[in-house]
Amino acid sequence: MSTTGIEIHPRKEAFQEGISALTGLATSVVSDVMGRTIGAVSILPVNKSSVSVCGNAVTVSVRAGDNLLIHKALQILKPGDVLVVDGGGDITRALFGEIMMTVAKSKGAIGCVFDGAIRDVDAFEKHKFPCWARGVNMRGPYKDGPGSINTSISIGGMVVNPGDVILGDCDGIIALSPNIALEAAKLGKEKETAERKTIQSILDGQYNDAWVDATLKQKGAL
């Protein structure tokens, strides 16, 4: 980072094959097949209706309550991008609102994620622009910096690198490296098929839950 505390790197091109493979999968399923360890904690959907997104991560890190570098990041957004912002978990000031959302949407961005607060919640719903955030606050931000664009960040305890595939739905947000995106998609599709069969067996009255007692016996509880 420079002596100004500002670091700006070029946007990473999207891993389209991985994005296509993961589109439509549930975050809960992908989290399960990847060891139940990935996913942002306490970063929840702002939109009231169902939301789903799968796209390319453009990352930003800012100091608490300051959005100067987010404004700069808006200039480099391209269609299919997801703006992912590490605001340090601070929710005392909103980092993003309707005006900035409108800019992001006009650039072709498909969603945004904030480990921090946003405002103008109704606008995200009105314009069907998916957003995940730690909180909501009507108080506006400072515009002084410092911060960084397209560096490794952390949101809700999950590391996000520029160019990661961002998968989000009503349950939350997952970031997947291009190196594992295709494998995660493959395993996720297999698990979704298995889960559909399980649900059908319940509906047909044929669900077998013998594994519950077997597990308890192994633990010496039965």
Side-chain angles (χ1 to χ4, degrees):
M1 184 169 291
S2 72
T3 56
T4 64
I6 295 174
E7 189 175 354
I8 301 173
H9 296 278
R11 172 188 172 281
K12 294 281 188 179
E13 290 303 315
F15 180 45
Q16 294 293 353
E17 187 179 3
I19 292 171
S20 296
L22 285 159
T23 295
L25 287 173
T27 57
S28 57
V29 167
V30 176
S31 177
D32 281 357
V33 299
M34 299 309 291
R36 295 182 166 89
T37 58
I38 63 172
V41 177
S42 299
I43 310 295
L44 301 175
V46 170
N47 304 68
K48 299 179 182 69
S49 60
S50 295
V51 289
S52 179
V53 74
C54 189
N56 177 61
V58 172
T59 62
V60 186
S61 177
V62 297
R63 74 178 176 94
D66 190 288
N67 73 356
L68 176 62
L69 271 292
I70 303 174
H71 280 278
K72 180 61 181 176
L74 292 177
Q75 297 177 354
I76 67 170
L77 292 177
K78 291 186 178 181
D81 284 344
V82 179
L83 180 68
V84 186
V85 179
D86 174 6
D90 178 79
I91 58 172
T92 60
R93 293 183 181 277
L95 297 173
F96 201 80
E98 183 175 10
I99 291 175
M100 297 176 78
M101 179 269 290
T102 303
V103 175
K105 189 173 182 181
S106 74
K107 297 279 188 173
I110 58 174
C112 56
V113 184
F114 291 86
D115 196 344
I118 61 99
R119 64 182 182 180
D120 304 329
V121 172
D122 286 346
F124 291 88
E125 181 68 12
K126 176 182 177 181
H127 295 286
K128 304 300 181 187
F129 190 77
C131 176
W132 291 258
R134 185 175 288 274
V136 175
N137 196 321
M138 84 292 293
R139 296 170 64 193
Y142 300 109
K143 303 181 190 308
D144 300 314
S148 65
I149 297 174
N150 284 322
T151 59
S152 295
I153 62 172
S154 176
I155 59 161
M158 177 180 70
V159 175
V160 183
N161 293 301
D164 279 355
V165 178
I166 299 296
L167 180 66
D169 58 20
C170 288
D171 288 333
I173 286 287
I174 286 177
L176 294 153
S177 162
N179 295 332
I180 64 171
L182 295 178
E183 179 65 11
K186 174 179 176 294
L187 295 174
K189 290 172 182 175
E190 291 173 353
K191 182 170 176 60
E192 283 202 338
T193 298
E195 288 190 351
R196 283 194 295 270
K197 290 180 179 178
T198 297
I199 291 171
Q200 189 60 52
S201 74
I202 296 169
L203 297 174
D204 294 340
Q206 298 176 350
Y207 177 56
N208 184 353
D209 61 359
W211 67 269
V212 178
D213 287 349
T215 301
L216 289 170
K217 285 179 180 179
Q218 286 182 345
K219 296 179 178 295
L222 290 179

